[in-house]
Every structure is written in C-alpha cells, then in structure tokens.
Amino acid sequence: MRFSPAMLQRAAKAVDKYALYVPTKGVFPKEFKVASTASGVKKNGVLDLGVILNTNKSRPSSAAAVFTTNKFKAAPVLLSRGVLEASHGKGVDAIVVNSGCANSVTGDVGLADGQAMLEMVNQNIGKDNATLVMSTGVIGQRLKLDKIQGGINDIFKKNKFGTDFSSWLGLAKSINTTDTFPKLVSSKFTLPNGKEYTLTGIAKGAGMICPNMATLLGFVLTDLPIESATLQKMLRFATSRSFNCISVDGDMSTNDTICMIANGAIDTPVINESSPEYQQVQQQVTEFAQRLAQLVVRDGEGSTKFVTVNVQNALKFDDAKIIAESISNSMLVKTALYGQDANWGRILCAIGYAKLNDLKSLDVNKINVSFVTTDDSQPRELKLVVNGVPNLDVDEARASEILALNDLEVLVDLGTGNEEAQFWTCDLSHEYVTINGDYRS
C-alpha cells in the first residue's frame, strides 16, 4: 500500500497528539472491569469490540444516557433507550460496543443484530435487560454478526477482562474510527464526608460532530451510589455544558450516545437531589465531562487549532450558548482560523444570524469581540470590535501571532446581562476534505 503525503502528515500529527493527550496511567472506579478484542470487523487485527462490566453486587447500579436527536436513529440507540426505559435506569451492568460498522439505517435486520449482541452479553452475565449496546462506523452497512458474536464469546470464554490501565486503554482503542488517539480520562474526588470516589471517561470521535444531546460515543463510569433519576438529571446538565458544546464540522451522527453508570461500590449514602453532596458532584461530573469532550475537538479531523469560544455577559445562558454555537459552526470562521486571517466580520456575521430566544440578548451597539492568547505573551487580549465599532487601530501583527497558536480563544462580550457560555471548536483544513472524501475506502 502506498501512502499519500496527506496520510503521512496525518500520521505524524497523530503521534504528536498521542503523546500529548493519551495518559500513561490512571485511576479507575471500584468493581468495574473491561475487555476488548479484535473480532475481525476491522482489518489487520485492530481492536474493534469492547465490553464494560459492573461486578458490584452489594446494591443495584444506576444508569443514564442522552441520545441523538437525529431522525435516523441507529438500531443501538433504539435498543439502549428501550433497555433504560424498561429498567427505569436500574440494574444495568454491562455495555457492549463495536466499531467499524454503525448498524444504522439497517431496518429490522439491524435491530435484530443489535438485540443479538446485547442478549449474548446478558446470557454471559446471567441477567436480563442489563446490557446497553452501541456501535460506530460506516452508516448503512449490516453488522458482521458472526464476527461480533465470536468476539463476545472470545471475551467471556477466555476471561479477557481486566481492571488495570492497559485494559482500560484497550477499551478506549476498540471504539476508535477516524480518531488519531484513544480518549481516556480518569480522576479521583473527595466527598465532604471524606469518602473518595472515581470518575473514568472514555469517548470516541473526530468527525461528524455537532451534537444536540450528546456526541458520538462516550461513557462515564463511577463507583458512587447515585439514585437513577438523579443520575439522569446530572448527566443531562453535564452534557448541556460539555458534549453539547463542541463542534468539528456541524454534522450530527445517527449514533450519538453518552451514557453513565454509577455502581455504588463506595460505602456512602445514595446521592439524590436533596443530598448535601449533590451540587458538588454535579459540578465535578460537568467539569470532568468537559475535559473528555474537549479531547474530541482536539482530535477533530484535519484540525490544526483548538478554539474556545467564550460568550460573556449575555441576558440568558441559552442565548449565550446559541451565539457560541453559531460562531463555532461557521465554515467561514473555521476556514479563517485555519488561514490565520483575523477576519472578525465573519464572527459578527455568525452572531447576527444566530436564532436567539430573546432578541434583547443582542445589542449591536454594546458588543465587543476579541482574540485572546493562551500563552504568556502580551497583550493577552486583542480587541477587534469595541461597543459595536471596529477597532481601527488593531495590531495585525499581534493578531497573526495569536492566530498562529495551536490553542486560542474568541471572546465575545454582549454587555446585556450576566450569563455566559463556552463552546469548543476547531479550524477547517484541506485535510478534512481529504479524510472525508475517501472515508469508506
């Protein structure tokens, strides 16, 4: 096989990103074990199938998920949503996920294939209605079910499960498609009562990213005991401020799913909305989800920049978020960022056509727009528009320096209120077209 210059360049970037963003160690929640294998759906022995298993039997687990709002929902989305509805988010102890085939727009046969996947795991753990199923890859192709079933059998019969870092990293690798690096994050936290708990997150995604509920595939696992309805509310809150605030290309997948399982392995009272720890845990889960979501943007297909769009002093949070999203999704803004062109007019344009809930959130005579550096150079903030008027004295050389950075911020001050929202996006390069022009090949 001959490699094009673009492919070689992407491989070199992948090495850099792998070294920057892939951990070499981690901490993992109690009573979870994970496994991965190469089922043969992907070529050349690449990992393409994973299973997450809760082994805590001291109390029932709680599970929650947020799914795609795309009208063409993939079979795994429909099946997993059905499992959560039937179980009321209680007693879900496993997740099985494959990459290489999305099992999307596959009709009844796709539903039957997905059902066969989750039933096979249910049989192995000896429990009904206890498994969520997820798939990612090419849309419109039927699963190679014989290979998937062979892989599940291989995992359970050979007991490939582990709790060590290598096992968790293998799981993260098994769900990758066009990703250049596996996305794995883990952290320990301490409750006011002194009890420690752990959050571990895994995600995949590099393209088809602009969700309206979640993003591609992601899992957050914790050993905290959290009441199921509370967990669902907590996940929705975190998602609205993390995975719903990222954009690579403005496309929403048919398979987008973020799920969270709390297995209660930590000996502490069950957390609900009235618990004194609730606000603290919700904030920690939200910040953790933001870290995980940002890795998806950093791996954006063909991207060279990670851009934080920060909208401040809005009348309402929802409108701040709508404006941040509009800027982040603008192809003209993205290409200007790639070309290191300080074209603030494109930013104002994207703000102007944003579909706000309250028109009072935007006053064209109060708006300020700046580029903000993320390094130690000065000045940190370069004002482009002040009170709706262009800054005619803008330092173009300084603008070029900021836009040459790998990380930078676009700051918008609306001056109409006190609410703020952030979105995370990337630039749009020639390489994005190359990658997606021959995705299926």
Side-chain angles (χ1 to χ4, degrees), residues 341-413:
D341 178 9
N343 193 336
W344 52 263
R346 294 182 177 184
I347 298 172
L348 285 187
C349 181
I351 295 170
Y353 61 64
K355 297 179 180 178
L356 301 178
N357 295 319
D358 189 337
L359 295 179
K360 293 179 181 178
S361 286
L362 178 60
D363 184 334
V364 297
N365 296 313
K366 293 182 177 180
I367 193 167
N368 293 272
V369 178
S370 304
F371 288 145
V372 180
T373 182
T374 55
D375 62 10
D376 296 328
S377 60
Q378 297 295 329
R380 290 199 67 247
E381 181 179 352
L382 180 66
K383 294 184 179 295
L384 306 171
V385 178
V386 179
N387 294 325
V389 178
N391 178 12
L392 299 179
D393 296 324
V394 66
D395 185 342
E396 291 288 347
R398 180 58 179 154
S400 296
E401 289 174 355
I402 295 175
L403 289 172
L405 296 171
N406 292 330
D407 286 27
L408 65 132
E409 177 184 336
V410 175
L411 175 62
V412 177
D413 188 331

Side-chain angles (χ1 to χ4, degrees), residues 64-106:
V66 191
F67 298 104
T68 184
T69 57
N70 193 305
K71 299 298 183 183
F72 291 97
K73 293 176 176 59
V77 169
L78 299 174
L79 291 166
S80 293
R81 188 171 63 183
V83 169
L84 289 171
E85 289 173 351
S87 67
H88 303 288
K90 299 176 182 177
V92 173
D93 288 334
I95 302 171
V96 58
V97 55
N98 75 277
S99 60
C101 176
N103 192 16
S104 178
V105 197
T106 46

Side-chain angles (χ1 to χ4, degrees), residues 66 211-215 233-246 258 278-279 282-294 297 308-309 316-321 324 419-424:
V66 191
N212 192 24
M213 43 70 259
T215 184
K233 183 175 181 179
M234 192 179 290
L235 182 62
R236 283 195 179 279
F237 181 90
T239 299
S240 71
R241 289 158 174 78
S242 58
F243 290 102
N244 271 0
C245 293
I246 62 173
I258 291 292
Y278 174 74
Q279 292 295 336
Q282 179 174 259
Q283 186 61 31
Q284 288 168 341
V285 170
T286 300
E287 292 174 358
F288 183 85
Q290 288 173 344
R291 288 171 56 198
L292 189 58
Q294 288 169 18
V297 178
T308 299
V309 180
K316 296 180 179 178
F317 167 78
D318 288 345
D319 285 335
K321 184 177 176 182
E419 295 293 328
E420 66 176 304
Q422 289 184 323
F423 234 80
W424 297 278

Side-chain angles (χ1 to χ4, degrees), residues 85-375:
E85 289 173 351
S87 67
H88 303 288
K90 299 176 182 177
V92 173
D93 288 334
I95 302 171
V96 58
V97 55
N98 75 277
S99 60
C101 176
N103 192 16
S104 178
V105 197
T106 46
D108 290 342
V109 69
L111 288 169
D113 289 345
Q115 185 70 31
M117 284 179 65
L118 65 84
E119 286 296 346
M120 191 170 184
V121 175
N122 284 341
Q123 290 168 11
N124 274 283
I125 64 177
K127 189 176 179 182
D128 293 332
N129 208 46
T131 303
L132 303 180
V133 59
M134 300 174 194
S135 300
T136 181
V138 179
I139 295 171
Q141 294 184 357
R142 184 176 178 181
L143 278 177
K144 296 177 181 177
L145 188 58
D146 57 333
K147 294 183 183 295
I148 297 289
Q149 289 178 320
I152 295 173
N153 186 64
D154 182 58
I155 285 173
F156 280 94
K157 297 304 180 186
K158 295 182 180 178
N159 192 19
K160 289 191 171 183
F161 290 97
T163 59
D164 60 336
F165 172 76
S166 178
S167 297
W168 285 92
L169 185 61
L171 175 69
K173 291 178 178 179
S174 73
I175 65 174
N176 287 353
T177 52
T178 59
D179 308 63
T180 66
F181 63 89
K183 297 158 187 70
L184 173 64
V185 178
S186 63
S187 292
K188 276 192 178 296
F189 302 91
T190 304
L191 296 173
N193 63 8
K195 295 282 186 178
E196 280 192 339
Y197 77 94
T198 304
L199 289 173
T200 293
I202 292 173
K204 65 81 53 186
M208 198 176 280
I209 294 172
C210 181
N212 192 24
M213 43 70 259
T215 184
L216 298 180
L217 298 185
F219 323 107
V220 177
L221 307 163
T222 184
D223 40 22
L224 270 179
I226 305 176
E227 189 266 334
S228 57
T230 301
L231 186 68
Q232 183 67 51
K233 183 175 181 179
M234 192 179 290
L235 182 62
R236 283 195 179 279
F237 181 90
T239 299
S240 71
R241 289 158 174 78
S242 58
F243 290 102
N244 271 0
C245 293
I246 62 173
S247 173
V248 169
D249 48 20
D251 273 4
M252 182 198 303
S253 169
T254 57
N255 293 58
D256 291 348
T257 303
I258 291 292
C259 70
M260 185 171 179
I261 296 180
N263 72 357
I266 296 296
D267 182 20
T268 193
V270 176
I271 295 172
N272 56 42
E273 289 185 59
S274 61
S275 299
E277 307 92 348
Y278 174 74
Q279 292 295 336
Q280 174 189 327
V281 172
Q282 179 174 259
Q283 186 61 31
Q284 288 168 341
V285 170
T286 300
E287 292 174 358
F288 183 85
Q290 288 173 344
R291 288 171 56 198
L292 189 58
Q294 288 169 18
L295 289 179
V296 176
V297 178
R298 289 191 180 279
D299 199 19
E301 291 173 347
S303 66
T304 67
K305 300 184 188 305
F306 176 84
V307 184
T308 299
V309 180
N310 190 2
V311 178
Q312 297 181 343
N313 297 319
L315 194 62
K316 296 180 179 178
F317 167 78
D318 288 345
D319 285 335
K321 184 177 176 182
I322 288 169
I323 287 174
E325 181 176 8
S326 184
I327 296 169
S328 299
N329 283 343
S330 167
M331 294 295 107
L332 289 178
V333 171
K334 286 174 172 289
T335 51
L337 290 169
Y338 174 69
Q340 300 178 19
D341 178 9
N343 193 336
W344 52 263
R346 294 182 177 184
I347 298 172
L348 285 187
C349 181
I351 295 170
Y353 61 64
K355 297 179 180 178
L356 301 178
N357 295 319
D358 189 337
L359 295 179
K360 293 179 181 178
S361 286
L362 178 60
D363 184 334
V364 297
N365 296 313
K366 293 182 177 180
I367 193 167
N368 293 272
V369 178
S370 304
F371 288 145
V372 180
T373 182
T374 55
D375 62 10

